[in-house]
Amino acid sequence: MKTTIALFFLSTITFAQIQDTTKVNALNEVLVSSIRATASTPVSFSNLTKKELASRNLGQDIPLLLNFMPSVVTTSDAGNGIGYTGVRVRGSDATRVNVTLNGIPYNDSESHSTFWVNLPDFASSVASVQLQRGVGTSTNGAGAFGASLNVLTDSYSEKSYAQIDNSVGSFNTRKNTVKFSTGLLNNQFELAGRLSNIASDGYIDRAESLLKSYFLQATFVGKTSLLKALVFGGTEKTYQSWYGVDAATLNNTRTFNFAGMYTDANGELRFYDNQTDNYQQDHVQLHWTETFSSKWSSTFALHYTKGKGYYENFNDEAELALYNLVPTGPETIGDVVDQKWLDNDFYGTTFSLKRKSDKTEWLLGGGYNTYFGSHFGKVIWTRVATTNELGDRYYDNLATKKDGNVFVKGQFQLNAKWSAYADLQFRHVYYAAPGISTTAVDDVFAFFNPKAGLTYAVDAKNQLYFSYAKAQREPNRTDYENGNPRPEKLDDFELGWRKQTAKLKWAVNGYYMGYQDQLVLTGQLDEVGNPIRANTGKSYRMGIELDASMVLGSKFQVQANVTKSKNVIRDGNSWNGKTIAFSPDLISGAQLSYSPSKTLKVSWLQKYVSAQFLNNEETSDARLADYWVNDLNFSYEIKPKSVFNSVVFSGLLANMFDKKYSANGADYGGGAVFFYPQAGIHGFIGMSVLF
């Protein structure tokens, strides 16, 4: 019954926009075309514009704003979309989603994860987002094994403005944002910026977040040149909530949080008040776009990211020897508070050179990046007297990674009906981590990743395409810490049909992703919440994706998407023939929008995710139940005749039917299964004032 209701819109018509409707100037289009797929590229992709993001941008993280895109599943540790959040695409976790910001790699070099909590309210500075499912087109950074997510920040504004956004919501959530632009001074220079503050108690006990961020951009616009300098970043302090709850606790106290729990000297149960994650990340990007002629253009970028922070942890009756502590008495265990630090630097360059003629388009691109990550831990307090100095490091190692790639893409119009696509990428990776395991890591990888495809224009409204792409990628730091991992290989086949008329846009895409040595999630987490993975032999993900939107009269619009898939390990000892963990076989999203006027829009959004196993053995107790969640979203704009240019009221009633569900979980084996409950009915309301 729930599946039937969730797919209601699919029986009428279907979903998200197929072509990007973001209007950008000609110079900025050069940057866009160098890093994104277009309507003629034979890959499956979806776009979200700034306008589509705005009405739901009330404090929740970017993954939650992507929740209704095809094949997407989102998670939230705190349960309300603020703090640590994650995204999976086609069953692949966030370490397999290649993320770039203006073409600059954003995935962490060692974990391959994307920590959006380090860029709170980044959506307020985003112009558009493109999600390519599967391997997609060549890009910079970590190899794409599930999807590529390309985020493009705001272009320049020709007119000056100031904007103030404020919102409040459930669980004492509040967001305050201030934006400004000078407009183009002398038709050449612009300075724009943003300051944001987000705070929330979270749905889970003590899962509070205190997030601050900034964004500053200087732009020079010439006749043939576009120069942009960006400085942005954020700080986060979040109480840890990645422990989850066991099934018994879930039934009794859904919001219980084990993090920081200990028993004091009087036998009382207590919680350490600073069991927190603290991190600051700052980014610098310099972009130069040049148009040499009607045929030739180029992009060049330099970037630097500085990250530094720690996770503080209370350890009840810890083994002192694990911290290299030397007690003054006979004790061997005692209470300890430690901090695990990461101090890293990431810098490099990206480039592209494009030649476009009537029937051909060539793009040569690539990048080279260097990462240094200092990992160390120190004890800041202990109940047992020791000969050690507080703050002494009990482990200390430096990891180095160098990642270079070069690719060439070609788009060829063979005749009036047929076009061809070719994409060749070579990637070289060096990774060294002397203290990561009993054996020092010092690995070199060389990957050649070819891609090719054909597109056939049936007529002005219909288009068929087929593509093949090969992808290879290296293990991450956690993989090395838990064994002797092998690099992964993927062959991705995509077959699709796109149709577009004045009122209807839809796409059907079938895919088969065949893996060798795929590093699949085991369901377990390490001591700091990183997912543990293990190599399998052969495995595959195959499915069909539907995505469309339809205008119904002058006031209604229907959008919907559905993915039906099968995700199987073909060999892997006891996992042979089993479903891959965290891979639901049915995902759907739908949106019915009603706009009685140009200033008011009300949308009913639905998301359905079928059951998921938390391990690769199809254990019935280690399973997330399916869920169907409904949201109600509205925006209403007033345009006063004086003082303000625009006042927009927006609101989100999330999980309005109060569904009790968990979007994530962990299985440590031996019946130790934990779940991450999401908030029931909750809401946000905001006001945006534009001067």
Side-chain angles (χ1 to χ4, degrees):
M1 179 63 180
K2 289 182 288 186
T3 303
T4 303
I5 297 174
L7 298 177
F8 165 73
F9 290 128
L10 299 179
S11 64
T12 55
I13 313 289
T14 35
F15 15 141
Q17 291 189 357
I18 297 170
Q19 292 187 343
D20 195 347
T21 57
T22 306
K23 295 181 180 180
V24 293
N25 57 77
L27 286 171
N28 207 46
E29 182 64 29
V30 176
L31 174 62
V32 175
S33 63
S34 70
I35 56 181
R36 287 193 167 178
T38 65
S40 60
T41 309
V43 299
S44 58
F45 67 92
S46 301
N47 296 319
L48 279 179
T49 65
K50 188 177 191 69
K51 184 177 181 180
E52 291 170 317
L53 291 168
S55 64
R56 292 190 288 120
N57 182 24
L58 298 169
Q60 292 182 307
D61 230 336
I62 281 183
L64 274 293
L65 301 181
L66 307 179
N67 185 46
F68 298 95
M69 299 185 81
S71 300
V72 167
V73 175
T74 60
T75 65
S76 169
D77 285 7
N80 66 333
I82 299 173
Y84 274 88
T85 58
V87 61
R88 298 190 181 106
V89 183
R90 290 185 177 176
S92 295
D93 68 284
T95 64
R96 293 141 183 293
V97 179
N98 171 281
V99 179
T100 57
L101 309 180
N102 301 319
I104 304 299
Y106 183 59
N107 297 71
D108 178 72
S109 293
E110 290 194 272
S111 71
H112 302 172
S113 295
T114 305
F115 300 104
W116 293 107
V117 69
N118 297 326
L119 290 177
D121 198 29
F122 195 67
S124 291
S125 297
V126 168
S128 63
V129 174
Q130 181 177 90
L131 180 68
Q132 296 180 24
R133 300 181 295 279
V135 173
T137 61
S138 285
T139 185
N140 298 302
F145 258 50
S148 295
L149 181 65
N150 173 264
V151 181
L152 188 69
T153 58
D154 286 335
S155 181
Y156 61 86
S157 174
E158 295 185 358
K159 297 182 179 180
S160 62
Y161 71 85
Q163 182 175 334
I164 299 175
D165 301 335
N166 292 296
S167 63
V168 295
S170 303
F171 317 115
N172 199 26
T173 299
R174 53 218 182 267
K175 179 174 91 79
N176 312 103
T177 302
V178 177
K179 293 184 66 177
F180 77 92
S181 170
T182 62
L184 279 182
L185 305 175
N186 298 323
N187 292 319
Q188 288 186 315
F189 298 96
E190 185 230 23
L191 184 66
R194 171 184 56 82
L195 291 174
S196 299
N197 179 77
I198 299 175
S200 177
D201 291 344
Y203 168 66
I204 302 300
D205 295 346
R206 304 182 312 286
E208 63 263 15
S209 299
L210 181 59
L211 316 173
K212 300 178 184 295
S213 67
Y214 66 94
F215 184 94
L216 187 64
Q217 174 179 285
T219 305
F220 169 78
V221 183
K223 292 183 178 180
T224 62
S225 303
L226 178 66
L227 299 174
K228 300 177 76 172
L230 298 87
V231 181
F232 58 92
T235 61
E236 61 92 3
K237 182 173 184 177
T238 57
Y239 195 99
Q240 287 301 306
S241 53
W242 54 260
Y243 289 74
V245 295
D246 59 276
T249 304
L250 181 67
N251 292 331
N252 297 317
T253 313
R254 290 180 55 82
T255 63
F256 191 83
N257 185 4
F258 289 95
M261 185 173 69
Y262 70 98
T263 303
D264 66 14
N266 298 319
E268 297 290 332
L269 183 65
R270 302 176 68 91
F271 296 92
Y272 183 56
D273 60 5
N274 201 36
Q275 187 88 1
T276 58
D277 186 77
N278 305 263
Y279 201 78
Q280 178 169 343
Q281 192 176 78
D282 300 286
H283 301 254
V284 178
Q285 295 184 0
L286 301 175
H287 295 272
W288 173 27
T289 301
E290 187 71 28
T291 301
F292 302 105
S293 67
S294 60
K295 294 184 177 180
W296 289 92
S297 59
S298 69
T299 67
F300 178 76
L302 297 172
H303 68 88
Y304 172 69
T305 300
K306 176 64 180 180
K308 188 174 184 179
Y310 63 91
Y311 158 60
E312 187 165 314
N313 183 52
F314 184 96
N315 294 280
D316 191 9
E317 297 187 354
E319 293 185 32
L320 302 180
L322 296 177
Y323 298 91
N324 297 325
L325 295 174
V326 180
T328 58
E331 300 91 344
T332 59
I333 61 173
D335 296 344
V336 172
V337 176
D338 71 283
Q339 293 179 346
K340 295 179 174 67
W341 280 80
L342 176 60
D343 185 353
N344 54 22
D345 299 89
F346 177 62
Y347 57 88
T349 181
T350 64
F351 67 89
S352 71
L353 178 65
K354 180 179 177 181
R355 186 185 188 279
K356 183 176 183 180
S357 62
D358 292 339
K359 294 186 177 181
T360 63
E361 181 175 304
W362 288 96
L363 180 70
L364 173 67
Y368 187 81
N369 305 294
T370 300
Y371 168 89
F372 295 104
S374 176
H375 300 258
F376 60 91
K378 55 185 181 181
V379 174
I380 63 169
W381 177 86
T382 177
R383 194 179 301 277
V384 177
T386 70
T387 60
N388 305 74
E389 291 290 335
L390 292 180
D392 284 351
R393 298 186 180 186
Y394 63 93
Y395 70 88
D396 193 351
N397 63 77
L398 177 67
T400 302
K401 188 171 186 178
K402 297 183 179 181
D403 186 344
N405 80 98
V406 62
F407 55 84
V408 57
K409 305 178 187 181
Q411 190 89 26
F412 317 97
Q413 192 66 46
L414 303 178
N415 55 41
K417 296 284 188 179
W418 289 92
S419 64
Y421 173 82
D423 184 339
L424 304 176
Q425 182 200 54
F426 178 78
R427 182 166 175 250
H428 185 274
V429 179
Y430 168 72
Y431 181 51
I436 201 169
S437 62
T438 55
T439 302
V441 176
D442 192 353
D443 274 351
V444 176
F445 303 93
F447 300 131
F448 175 59
N449 301 314
K451 309 170 183 68
L454 290 170
T455 301
Y456 176 69
V458 180
D459 52 37
K461 299 177 181 178
N462 293 275
Q463 183 186 82
L464 304 175
Y465 65 85
F466 170 77
S467 66
Y468 162 77
K470 189 174 189 65
Q472 302 172 83
R473 57 179 288 145
E474 72 282 8
N476 67 15
R477 182 183 179 92
T478 305
D479 299 329
Y480 281 108
E481 289 177 337
N482 291 281
N484 186 25
R486 301 182 299 275
E488 307 171 272
K489 300 177 182 179
L490 166 63
D491 293 294
D492 181 18
F493 299 87
E494 307 274 338
L495 177 64
W497 174 19
R498 299 185 183 115
K499 181 181 180 69
Q500 181 171 342
T501 66
K503 293 187 176 182
L504 171 67
K505 299 176 184 178
W506 72 295
V508 182
N509 183 76
Y511 64 89
Y512 177 85
M513 303 169 69
Y515 296 86
Q516 178 65 47
D517 295 325
Q518 182 181 182
L519 283 159
V520 297
L521 297 174
T522 64
Q524 299 183 33
L525 303 176
D526 68 11
E527 61 178 3
V528 293
N530 294 317
I532 295 175
R533 309 185 302 181
N535 284 114
T536 62
K538 294 182 179 180
S539 56
Y540 68 86
R541 300 180 187 274
M542 63 182 296
I544 185 168
E545 299 165 323
L546 306 176
D547 181 9
S549 66
M550 184 179 187
V551 177
L552 304 175
S554 60
K555 297 181 179 181
F556 289 93
Q557 182 180 21
V558 177
Q559 296 177 311
N561 59 75
V562 63
T563 300
K564 178 65 176 176
S565 67
K566 190 173 183 180
N567 310 272
V568 178
I569 298 173
R570 293 176 59 187
D571 56 60
N573 299 322
S574 62
W575 298 346
N576 186 38
K578 302 295 187 181
T579 300
I580 302 173
F582 300 96
S583 300
D585 60 14
L586 183 63
I587 303 171
S588 71
Q591 177 176 328
L592 174 63
S593 298
Y594 172 60
S595 302
S597 67
K598 292 182 179 180
T599 59
L600 175 63
K601 182 177 181 180
V602 181
S603 299
W604 174 24
L605 302 102
Q606 304 180 37
K607 186 73 176 185
Y608 176 79
V609 179
S610 65
Q612 309 168 56
F613 290 106
L614 300 179
N615 58 33
N616 299 297
E617 299 174 353
E618 297 186 358
T619 308
S620 59
D621 292 338
R623 185 172 177 266
L624 295 177
D626 67 325
Y627 56 89
W628 176 54
V629 179
N630 294 259
D631 295 351
L632 189 65
N633 182 216
F634 81 89
S635 64
Y636 176 63
E637 183 178 17
I638 302 173
K639 291 191 174 182
K641 297 181 179 180
S642 60
V643 184
F644 306 127
N645 292 327
S646 170
V647 178
V648 178
F649 297 93
S650 55
L652 175 67
L653 183 62
N655 195 4
M656 62 182 182
F657 297 144
D658 201 29
K659 172 68 176 178
K660 301 294 189 294
Y661 74 103
S662 296
N664 200 6
D667 177 19
Y668 294 98
V673 178
F674 285 74
F675 301 90
Y676 295 77
Q678 304 298 286
I681 184 170
H682 61 291
F684 307 86
I685 189 167
M687 180 176 72
S688 176
V689 179
L690 180 65
F691 298 86

